Amino acid sequence: MSRRKKIFAPPLHVRTNYPKGDGLTYNQYVGENIAGYHLANGWRKDSVNGGFNKEIYTNPYVEGISFDKKNTNQLNAYKYVDGQKYTGRVEDTFTVRFTPDKIKGYLNGKPYYESVEIKVIFRGDCVAGLMQGRGILAAEISGFGMYNNLKLAECNFENGEIVGTVKNYDLNAVETAIINGKIHNKSSTRDYFEFIKMLNLTEIEYEKGSMKWLQRTTYQGNDNTGKVISKRKNH
């Protein structure tokens, strides 16, 4: 009667030992029965090689269809491709949740709203893993012929941090429908540039080196006088 030879796997922490000195950055992982490491890809919390829970699984600068520094819980982030800090143009497409300001129905006498998914595009430039310069968040839109992209938000980056003033455009200010992740124009205008003017604009000024916002101002869309709907300061 033959006896099976027992194979002893190394302890979990040993299995997370990644290659050293090859110029690449690795993320480590460990669970109840699995352990290992892999090359850093996508967004990362810092540039220190190795370490657990370093990955950021969603875009660290986007909250819904807006740039919102105070909600991202990450002052800056590093973008990696195949274990190296990325330098080049960033054009990332992903899906976010958006809640139209329209009553979907009533439950126990109270109105409720329904969230939808929108496919957005995050654009900007990255140098040595850190976003620099102007950043744009856009989405596809139909109903305007050759003009098929709508800017939802814009900001400025400095060493991976959102700095200065963020501009967010409010889709709830116009009549739209979201179908298969794409915005469809349901407003009265068929003029793309007139449609853009109809969007309410919220400007948020942030403190550099902090997630604290200093001032938040919302302007009325389709108003050439720059009418202010609301203005708040964060004391």
Side-chain angles (χ1 to χ4, degrees):
M1 184 176 179
S2 62
R3 294 183 178 178
R4 290 184 179 180
K5 186 177 180 181
K6 292 185 178 179
I7 299 176
F8 294 95
L12 290 179
H13 71 276
V14 173
R15 287 182 247 168
T16 67
N17 290 338
Y18 56 88
K20 307 290 197 304
D22 61 1
L24 300 175
T25 297
Y26 293 86
N27 295 325
Q28 298 166 283
Y29 62 89
V30 64
E32 288 186 17
N33 300 306
I34 61 170
Y37 57 86
H38 53 76
L39 282 172
N41 266 301
W43 298 104
R44 200 170 189 270
K45 293 179 181 179
D46 61 37
S47 60
V48 179
N49 197 6
F52 301 94
N53 303 317
K54 293 294 186 73
E55 300 96 332
I56 303 173
Y57 297 102
T58 58
N59 187 290
Y61 305 107
V62 174
E63 180 76 16
I65 60 170
S66 304
F67 288 126
D68 200 340
K69 186 177 179 182
K70 72 180 180 62
N71 283 333
T72 58
N73 298 317
Q74 189 70 30
L75 191 60
N76 59 16
Y78 291 81
K79 188 172 181 63
Y80 279 83
V81 174
D82 296 330
Q84 296 183 316
K85 294 176 185 174
Y86 177 69
T87 295
R89 187 68 178 166
V90 176
E91 292 209 4
D92 290 346
T93 300
F94 51 96
T95 299
V96 297
R97 302 290 294 179
F98 167 68
T99 304
D101 191 17
K102 297 175 184 176
I103 297 173
K104 192 69 178 178
Y106 290 85
L107 184 64
N108 296 326
K110 296 182 179 180
Y112 67 86
Y113 303 84
E114 188 176 82
S115 295
V116 294
E117 291 188 339
I118 296 182
K119 185 169 69 174
V120 297
I121 307 161
F122 172 74
R123 296 188 176 105
D125 294 297
C126 194
V127 179
L130 295 171
M131 296 299 297
Q132 304 282 2
R134 189 176 182 224
I136 295 289
L137 187 69
E140 287 186 82
I141 189 168
S142 67
F144 297 108
M146 62 181 289
Y147 299 106
N148 57 9
N149 260 237
L150 178 67
K151 181 171 62 177
L152 300 172
E154 60 183 301
C155 71
N156 285 293
F157 290 103
E158 187 177 304
N159 297 325
E161 178 188 356
I162 291 176
V163 295
T165 301
V166 165
K167 294 183 178 182
N168 293 320
Y169 297 89
D170 184 11
L171 270 185
N172 279 317
V174 291
E175 197 70 28
T176 61
I178 313 300
I179 304 172
N180 295 326
K182 192 174 183 179
I183 301 169
H184 291 256
N185 173 37
K186 296 294 182 180
S187 70
S188 57
T189 183
R190 293 296 176 264
D191 185 307
Y192 176 76
F193 298 100
E194 184 64 31
F195 180 87
I196 292 174
K197 290 179 182 179
M198 293 168 65
L199 302 174
N200 292 348
L201 166 65
T202 296
E203 293 185 344
I204 309 170
E205 184 183 347
Y206 286 102
E207 183 178 287
K208 188 175 180 181
S210 168
M211 293 179 187
K212 179 182 178 182
W213 62 272
L214 302 174
Q215 182 168 287
R216 183 186 294 260
T217 308
T218 300
Y219 300 92
Q220 174 72 53
N222 207 19
D223 187 284
N224 294 326
T225 65
K227 180 181 177 181
V228 174
I229 299 175
S230 66
K231 188 171 186 176
R232 287 189 298 156
K233 290 187 177 182
N234 191 9
H235 300 288

